[in-house]
């Protein structure tokens, strides 16, 4: 009898230990530019991740495991991003990181994620983040070349063959510039002007005066606010009639607000479907999710959800999908993301593979035009 009781006690202890292990919390880190010039990216990303974690934990967590979230503000600073990535991994012991917000920060953090073998899901768009593929690195915004192709396809439809480029001199801008130049040459476009501006420049009339003299059919601006908004106003001030295209880097109402509805009238750009979710066909596989995300975000924060916050949404869902299938350790989460199959997200329908750590194609974007201070889908 005594032996039976001892055996039962041991079994109960083992069951308790197993249950405790199964219910162990999973730590996720967030690195976002919540303050500084890129706050329009980082703030909605942080808000979104906090909202999703709160919602998941209210339902008992994922697979019975509560999510512990540790978020740091990089201020958009590369050095700070590196320091905080090290802190998340070595001090906070996170199993995965969502972020950073910008391409420059992400490129600086990648060596740390690779060395420490912790999955990093970037919220930045630069193609070099995942091309070539890096084992521990993924990203949720569609690649630059997808956005560039979307713009050039529209320009081709409108028979706009003479193109002027105006790109910002940071990692995002230089990556977009490279992709545009390669694709323009491949598809028979003629680049009649190729100008660059600085991230902190407050007037681009000098570059635009040169562009105006080149008489392009269209101008493609590649950057993130406030630069593109300033350029939009400068284009109007100089009376330039060429079609102005912006990149997906300004796909939020903040751009229209900064540029002014009048100056932005007629501007076209590739935007994630969240920007126009209420204009999508009901049969669109993303339509329901996009409405639900926007409603939840608006209820929590009093404003509409943005495409940028959607990048963090997708990062969390990629992790959650892996955890639902039993992933717990960083290595298991990494494998689960890479082999997760198709996943409907805010940014598109993801199909990650060992050869593609972005998993999005042209269907991730709708070409939109600004009319009377709002978006319309270009059909």
């Amino acid at each position: 009898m005594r032996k039976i009781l001892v055996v039962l006690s041991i079994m109960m202890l083992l069951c308790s230990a197993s249950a405790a292990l199964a219910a162990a919390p999973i730590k996720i880190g967030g690195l976002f530019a919540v303050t500084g010039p890129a706050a329009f990216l980082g703030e909605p990303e942080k808000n979104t991740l906090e909202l999703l974690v709160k919602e998941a934990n209210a339902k008992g967590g994922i697979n019975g495991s509560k999510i512990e979230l540790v978020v740091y503000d990089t201020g958009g600073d590369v050095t700070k991003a590196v320091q905080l990535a090290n802190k998340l991994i070595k001090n906070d012991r996170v199993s995965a990181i969502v972020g950073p917000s910008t391409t420059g920060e992400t490129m600086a953090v990648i060596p740390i994620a690779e060395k420490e073998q912790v999955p990093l899901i970037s919220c930045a768009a630069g193609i070099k983040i995942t091309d070539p593929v890096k084992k521990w690195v993924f990203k949720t915004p569609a690649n630059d070349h997808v956005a560039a192709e979307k713009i050039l396809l529209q320009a081709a439809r409108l028979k706009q063959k003479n193109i002027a480029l105006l790109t910002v001199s940071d990692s995002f801008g230089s990556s977009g510039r490279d992709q545009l130049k390669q694709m323009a040459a491949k598809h028979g476009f003629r680049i009649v002007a190729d100008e660059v501006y600085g991230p902190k420049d407050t007037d681009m009339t000098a570059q635009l005066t040169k562009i105006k003299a080149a008489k392009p059919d269209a101008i493609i601006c590649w950057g993130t606010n406030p630069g593109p908004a300033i350029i939009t106003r400068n284009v109007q001030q100089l009376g330039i009639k060429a079609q102005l295209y912006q990149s997906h880097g300004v796909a939020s109402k903040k751009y229209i607000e900064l540029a002014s509805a009048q100056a932005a009238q007629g501007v076209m750009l590739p935007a994630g479907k969240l920007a126009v979710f209420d204009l999508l066909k009901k049969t669109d596989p993303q339509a329901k999710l996009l409405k639900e995300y926007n409603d939840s975000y608006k209820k929590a924060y009093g404003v509409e959800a943005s495409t940028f916050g959607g990048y963090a949404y997708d990062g969390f869902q990629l992790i959650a999908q892996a955890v639902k299938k039993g992933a717990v350790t960083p290595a298991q989460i990494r494998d689960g993301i890479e082999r997760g199959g198709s996943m409907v997200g805010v940014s598109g329908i993801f199909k990650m593979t060992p050869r593609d750590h972005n998993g999005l194609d042209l269907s991730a974007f709708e070409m939109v035009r600004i009319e009377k201070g709002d978006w319309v889908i270009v059909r």
Side-chain angles (χ1 to χ4, degrees):
M1 184 70 180
R2 198 170 180 182
K3 286 183 179 180
I4 293 172
L5 288 172
V6 170
V7 171
L8 287 172
S9 297
I10 291 171
M11 288 176 67
M12 287 174 68
L13 285 170
L14 288 172
C15 288
S16 297
S18 177
L21 184 63
I26 294 173
K27 272 194 176 183
I28 296 175
L31 284 178
F32 305 123
V34 183
T35 59
F40 68 96
L41 300 171
E43 184 181 15
E45 289 163 356
K46 172 181 175 287
N47 289 346
T48 296
L49 194 55
E50 289 178 341
L51 177 63
L52 291 174
V53 169
K54 184 179 179 181
E55 288 177 350
N57 286 337
K59 296 175 183 176
I62 304 172
N63 272 8
S65 293
K66 289 294 182 79
I67 305 299
E68 287 186 12
L69 180 62
V70 185
V71 176
Y72 292 124
D73 175 16
T74 67
D77 182 82
V78 169
T79 302
K80 195 172 180 182
V82 169
Q83 293 169 344
L84 293 172
N86 274 309
K87 187 176 181 181
L88 281 174
I89 294 169
K90 295 176 181 178
N91 294 2
D92 300 309
R93 313 294 295 176
V94 298
S95 295
I97 298 172
V98 180
S101 302
T102 68
T103 299
E105 292 172 280
T106 300
M107 295 307 296
V109 168
I110 281 173
I112 300 165
E114 290 285 289
K115 180 185 175 184
E116 301 297 334
Q117 299 186 352
V118 172
L120 180 77
I121 308 172
S122 175
C123 294
I127 189 172
K128 56 188 175 181
I129 293 170
T130 52
D131 186 9
V133 171
K134 300 156 190 74
K135 183 174 181 179
W136 295 88
V137 181
F138 304 85
K139 75 183 188 72
T140 52
N143 279 323
D144 297 342
H145 74 85
V146 179
E149 185 174 358
K150 198 80 174 180
I151 292 171
L152 291 176
L153 283 171
Q154 180 62 21
R157 287 189 197 101
L158 299 177
K159 300 185 176 2
Q160 297 161 343
K161 285 294 183 180
N162 295 323
I163 303 294
L165 305 182
L166 183 51
T167 56
V168 66
S169 59
D170 62 13
S171 297
F172 178 67
S174 61
S175 178
R177 179 173 176 266
D178 289 344
Q179 296 304 313
L180 286 165
K181 290 176 75 174
Q182 289 175 29
M183 289 195 170
K186 182 179 177 182
H187 295 292
F189 290 90
R190 181 169 171 248
I191 296 178
V192 296
D194 182 6
E195 297 291 327
V196 176
Y197 68 94
K200 295 182 180 180
D201 288 355
T202 57
D203 185 271
M204 290 69 157
T205 53
Q207 295 96 321
L208 285 166
T209 298
K210 293 179 184 177
I211 287 173
K212 185 178 182 180
K215 298 181 179 179
D217 299 320
I219 301 167
I220 303 175
C221 173
W222 202 279
T224 56
N225 288 317
I230 295 169
I231 287 165
T232 303
R233 294 198 302 270
N234 289 161
V235 165
Q236 184 191 43
Q237 290 159 2
L238 291 170
I240 296 173
K241 301 303 181 186
Q243 173 65 53
L244 177 60
Y245 292 97
Q246 295 286 355
S247 77
H248 54 313
V250 299
S252 79
K253 291 288 183 67
K254 189 68 177 177
Y255 161 69
I256 302 174
E257 179 187 322
L258 290 172
S260 84
Q262 185 183 20
Q265 177 72 14
V267 171
M268 287 193 277
L269 60 125
K273 291 183 179 180
L274 179 64
V276 289
F277 76 89
D278 53 338
L279 302 178
L280 296 175
K281 295 177 181 177
K282 290 183 180 179
T283 53
D284 190 296
Q286 289 178 258
K288 183 174 181 289
L289 179 147
L290 295 173
K291 184 181 186 308
E292 289 174 351
Y293 169 47
N294 185 70
D295 289 349
S296 295
Y297 192 94
K298 194 169 184 179
K299 182 179 179 181
Y301 301 108
V303 293
E304 292 182 346
S306 79
T307 298
F308 309 121
Y311 299 154
Y313 182 104
D314 295 332
F316 177 81
Q317 295 300 349
L318 286 167
I319 295 169
Q321 181 174 262
V323 173
K324 285 174 185 175
K325 295 179 180 178
V328 175
T329 67
Q332 290 170 342
I333 291 172
R334 190 218 77 87
D335 292 347
I337 293 171
E338 187 179 79
R339 301 168 188 168
S342 180
M343 186 194 86
V344 177
V346 171
S347 306
I349 299 173
F350 290 88
K351 295 174 183 175
M352 298 285 187
T353 71
R355 293 179 300 280
D356 184 357
H357 279 195
N358 176 232
L360 296 175
D361 58 22
L362 278 172
S363 67
F365 290 118
E366 291 285 354
M367 202 67 195
V368 301
R369 183 174 60 249
I370 298 169
E371 290 187 5
K372 297 179 181 178
D374 206 351
W375 313 114
V376 296
I377 296 176
V378 177
R379 300 294 187 186

